[in-house]
């Protein structure tokens, strides 16, 4: 519980800094002519929509996406690695570098796919929230509800999920593979 709470707390703080960058990135992707650079996108968003609506209209969705994603990633990877070692009747200390890296990569793929599935609806909602005029007028929760009604819950949960699972599964496997390799190299 402490481990998951620490992951959630760290992610919450990181999201305060991530949200403006994500808003700028999504706006520049969805409207390439919006501004020529990241600072240009940021300046125009603040001028046209203000700091809160421009940078933080996606804060709720980003929290609903990133906190469960981060918690699931660490919890699932740890359990998957334990199950893999348990099924072999070995501990990481009993295995060589190649087998340990294989466990890191395999458990990373499992963690990435689970995390992608858990966070996908909020990721889809976040992408839609940061498009100009998305969800109409009103409060951020009202706009989120409008987008959910317009898109449909099933589509919100499934549109682009396969590609996201491949992408996040691969990235997460590489993260844990690199992490474990560096830790092993440093003797930690």
């Amino acid at each position: 519980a402490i481990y998951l709470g620490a992951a959630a707390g760290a992610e919450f703080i990181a999201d305060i800094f991530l949200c403006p960058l994500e808003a700028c990135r999504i706006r520049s992707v969805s409207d390439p002519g919006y501004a020529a650079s990241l600072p240009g996108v940021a300046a125009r968003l603040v001028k046209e929509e203000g700091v809160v609506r421009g940078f933080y209209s996606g804060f709720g969705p980003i929290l609903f996406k990133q906190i469960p994603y981060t918690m699931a990633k660490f919890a699932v990877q740890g359990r998957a690695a334990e199950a893999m070692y348990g099924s072999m009747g070995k501990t990481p200390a009993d295995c060589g570098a190649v087998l340990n890296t294989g466990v890191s990569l395999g458990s990373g793929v499992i963690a990435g796919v689970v995390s992608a599935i858990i966070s996908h609806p909020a990721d889809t909602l976040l992408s839609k929230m940061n498009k100009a005029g998305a969800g109409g007028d009103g409060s951020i929760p009202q706009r989120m509800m409008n987008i959910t009604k317009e898109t449909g819950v099933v589509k919100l949960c499934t549109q682009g999920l396969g590609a996201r699972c491949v992408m996040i599964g691969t990235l997460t496997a590489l993260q844990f593979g690199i992490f474990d390799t560096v830790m092993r190299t440093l003797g930690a």
Side-chain angles (χ1 to χ4, degrees), residues 8 17 34 40 46 48 57 65 67 70 85 91-92 94 108 112 128 133 141-142 146 148 150 157-158 160 168 177-178:
F17 297 99
Y34 192 74
V46 169
E48 292 179 358
S57 64
K65 170 188 145 187
I67 289 176
T70 300
Y85 285 117
T91 67
D94 300 331
K128 292 180 181 299
Q142 183 59 52
N146 292 345
T148 301
E150 292 167 9
C157 294
T158 59
I168 300 300
I178 292 166

Side-chain angles (χ1 to χ4, degrees), residues 80-160:
E82 287 172 6
M84 289 175 172
Y85 285 117
S87 71
M88 294 184 287
K90 297 184 178 205
T91 67
D94 300 331
C95 303
V98 173
L99 185 55
N100 281 327
T101 301
V103 169
S104 296
L105 294 172
S107 61
V109 168
I110 294 165
V113 169
V114 169
S115 299
I117 292 167
I118 287 170
S119 63
H120 187 71
D123 184 61
T124 304
L125 189 58
L126 175 65
S127 295
K128 292 180 181 299
M129 281 289 294
N130 283 308
K131 291 184 180 176
D137 294 326
S139 66
I140 293 169
Q142 183 59 52
R143 291 175 57 220
M144 290 168 59
M145 288 303 298
N146 292 345
I147 291 169
T148 301
K149 288 175 188 173
E150 292 167 9
T151 305
V153 174
V154 171
K155 195 171 183 181
L156 198 65
C157 294
T158 59
Q159 187 177 34

Side-chain angles (χ1 to χ4, degrees), residues 27 31 33-35 38-50:
R27 183 62 60 98
D31 185 359
Y34 192 74
L38 182 65
V41 171
R44 186 170 170 192
L45 272 175
V46 169
K47 182 181 176 186
E48 292 179 358
E49 300 182 27

